[in-house]
Amino acid sequence: MRGLLVSVLQLLAGCSQAERTLPGLEWRVVADVPLPGAAARFDYQSFDPTSGRLWIAHMGADEVLCFDVRTRRIVARVHDMRGVTGVRAVPALGRVFASLSEEPGVVALDAATGRVVAHVAGGRFPDGLAYAPGPRRLFVSDEHGRRELVIDVPTFTARPPIPMGGDVGNTQYDSVSGLVWVAVQSSNELAAIDPVEGLVVVRAPVPGIDQPHGFLIDPTHRVAYVTGEGNGRMAALNLRTMRVERTYAVGEDPDVLAMDPGRGRLFVAAESGVVAAFEARGDSLVVLPAYQAAQAHSVAVDPATHLIYLPLENVGGRPVLRILSLEKR
């Protein structure tokens, strides 16, 4: 508890007086839904707005969970996902892709049933995933392999990997430019890949960020929000100019980011248990009240209901999916 309090105080201290918090908002726990499996670490989540299904990587329990946000029930549970890290739902394909770190590789799941339909072995520590619809290729950050894995989705076969020049963090597809962006932790930069040519075409430094890992592309505002595992800050990288406009304090050891596009709200979940919240206002962010909960380092948002989802590994001895709202008092 003391560590969480310190992280929140550090977060507030990193903001100017004018940025502290937007008054009149408060976090409310809507529900704590018990989840199956061991009280063990979670990793990435991926929400499918077409079906109302939230796919959750239960990394420590070696399984992928599918949660129906409408009925608030688990509707699929995929076992034997050894060290599952990343998960990415692609509604247009009826597929969900998951990266496995302990028996390194990537699997494709049927989005309706959760059944494994394809598997490709490879990599040292497959992590974040992005799908490029033009060439129909899946890009997977191989964190310790210092490269990006590439999979041809129609045949589900591996293509030549792309060396990144350092340990890599998350991977994101930019629907506006058609590029695949990768966080390169060792060199403190974002790199962009042409998904057709399979080549790195842009390298953008992110000054003020130490060990970038988690990031999120905001296609509307043409900004990449990049967090630093090493210094607990987030940079707003302008994708038009490739310059960092500003940095913001977030929780210590930030991990997963999510955005509510309808409200323009950004959430940054950290290993320290702090969920920082912001609202996009023009070219800058307004700081919203932060939330804290032990192990709250993975976050997802339902854009229709604006509810926020935090899988927590141990609440009273069992895993729980905490559903939250951030509303006016």
Side-chain angles (χ1 to χ4, degrees), residues 43-62:
D43 210 341
Y44 288 106
Q45 304 175 77
S46 184
F47 183 65
D48 178 358
T50 64
S51 64
R53 290 183 165 191
L54 178 64
W55 294 84
I56 307 169
H58 197 176
M59 182 180 182
D62 296 332

Side-chain angles (χ1 to χ4, degrees), residues 198-211:
L199 298 172
V200 175
V201 294
V202 176
R203 288 188 181 271
V206 280
I209 299 301
D210 182 24
Q211 299 175 44

Side-chain angles (χ1 to χ4, degrees), residues 113-191:
T113 64
R115 182 175 61 89
V116 175
V117 295
H119 175 266
V120 172
R124 288 183 58 192
F125 194 95
D127 194 15
L129 307 106
Y131 175 68
R136 301 187 71 184
R137 291 174 184 168
L138 187 69
F139 290 78
V140 186
S141 51
D142 185 11
E143 183 169 2
H144 304 315
R146 302 166 69 91
R147 60 187 180 172
E148 193 76 2
L149 306 177
V150 186
I151 296 172
D152 179 74
V153 170
T155 61
F156 219 69
T157 55
R159 296 181 58 85
I162 303 168
M164 300 306 300
D167 286 356
V168 292
N170 200 6
T171 297
Q172 297 270 317
Y173 174 70
D174 178 8
S175 60
V176 175
S177 68
L179 299 175
V180 173
W181 289 89
V182 183
V184 186
Q185 299 173 157
S186 307
S187 55
N188 294 339
E189 64 184 4
L190 282 194

Side-chain angles (χ1 to χ4, degrees), residues 39-326:
R41 180 183 176 83
F42 289 93
D43 210 341
Y44 288 106
Q45 304 175 77
S46 184
F47 183 65
D48 178 358
T50 64
S51 64
R53 290 183 165 191
L54 178 64
W55 294 84
I56 307 169
H58 197 176
M59 182 180 182
D62 296 332
E63 60 186 10
V64 172
L65 303 177
C66 180
F67 180 77
D68 189 315
V69 301
R70 297 162 184 167
T71 63
R72 295 186 180 171
R73 296 179 60 188
I74 294 293
V75 293
R77 187 179 177 189
V78 190
H79 301 285
D80 299 321
M81 300 284 101
R82 297 290 303 279
V84 60
T85 52
V87 62
R88 176 68 59 187
V90 183
L93 301 178
R95 291 287 182 267
V96 177
F97 303 106
S99 51
L100 310 182
S101 63
E102 291 187 11
E103 292 180 352
V106 181
V107 298
L109 308 177
D110 183 295
T113 64
R115 182 175 61 89
V116 175
V117 295
H119 175 266
V120 172
R124 288 183 58 192
F125 194 95
D127 194 15
L129 307 106
Y131 175 68
R136 301 187 71 184
R137 291 174 184 168
L138 187 69
F139 290 78
V140 186
S141 51
D142 185 11
E143 183 169 2
H144 304 315
R146 302 166 69 91
R147 60 187 180 172
E148 193 76 2
L149 306 177
V150 186
I151 296 172
D152 179 74
V153 170
T155 61
F156 219 69
T157 55
R159 296 181 58 85
I162 303 168
M164 300 306 300
D167 286 356
V168 292
N170 200 6
T171 297
Q172 297 270 317
Y173 174 70
D174 178 8
S175 60
V176 175
S177 68
L179 299 175
V180 173
W181 289 89
V182 183
V184 186
Q185 299 173 157
S186 307
S187 55
N188 294 339
E189 64 184 4
L190 282 194
I193 295 171
D194 181 323
V196 177
E197 300 296 329
L199 298 172
V200 175
V201 294
V202 176
R203 288 188 181 271
V206 280
I209 299 301
D210 182 24
Q211 299 175 44
H213 181 85
F215 73 100
L216 182 143
I217 301 291
D218 179 353
T220 301
H221 296 96
R222 302 307 299 137
V223 175
Y225 295 110
V226 189
T227 61
E229 283 189 337
N231 64 344
R233 295 197 69 84
M234 178 180 69
L237 175 69
N238 187 317
L239 293 177
R240 297 184 179 93
T241 64
M242 297 301 161
R243 295 177 63 89
V244 170
E245 302 284 357
R246 196 168 189 171
T247 67
Y248 301 84
V250 293
E252 184 180 350
D253 202 2
D255 192 2
V256 180
L257 295 82
M259 194 158 201
D260 180 345
R263 291 184 171 178
R265 290 182 179 174
L266 174 68
F267 301 95
V268 184
E271 298 280 359
S272 56
V274 174
V275 181
F278 304 87
E279 188 170 303
R281 296 281 183 88
D283 295 330
S284 62
L285 296 175
V286 174
V287 179
L288 305 181
Y291 184 78
Q292 58 179 336
Q295 306 106 26
H297 69 99
S298 179
V299 60
V301 181
D302 181 345
T305 63
H306 310 293
L307 293 176
I308 302 113
Y309 294 85
L310 299 179
L312 305 176
E313 66 181 72
N314 192 335
V315 178
R318 67 179 305 170
V320 160
L321 183 61
R322 179 159 294 170
I323 305 173
L324 298 150
S325 67
L326 179 58

Side-chain angles (χ1 to χ4, degrees), residues 6-25:
V6 169
S7 295
V8 172
L9 292 175
Q10 289 173 339
L11 173 58
L12 295 177
C15 304
S16 70
Q17 186 67 32
E19 292 175 333
R20 283 287 167 94
T21 56
L22 188 68
L25 293 174

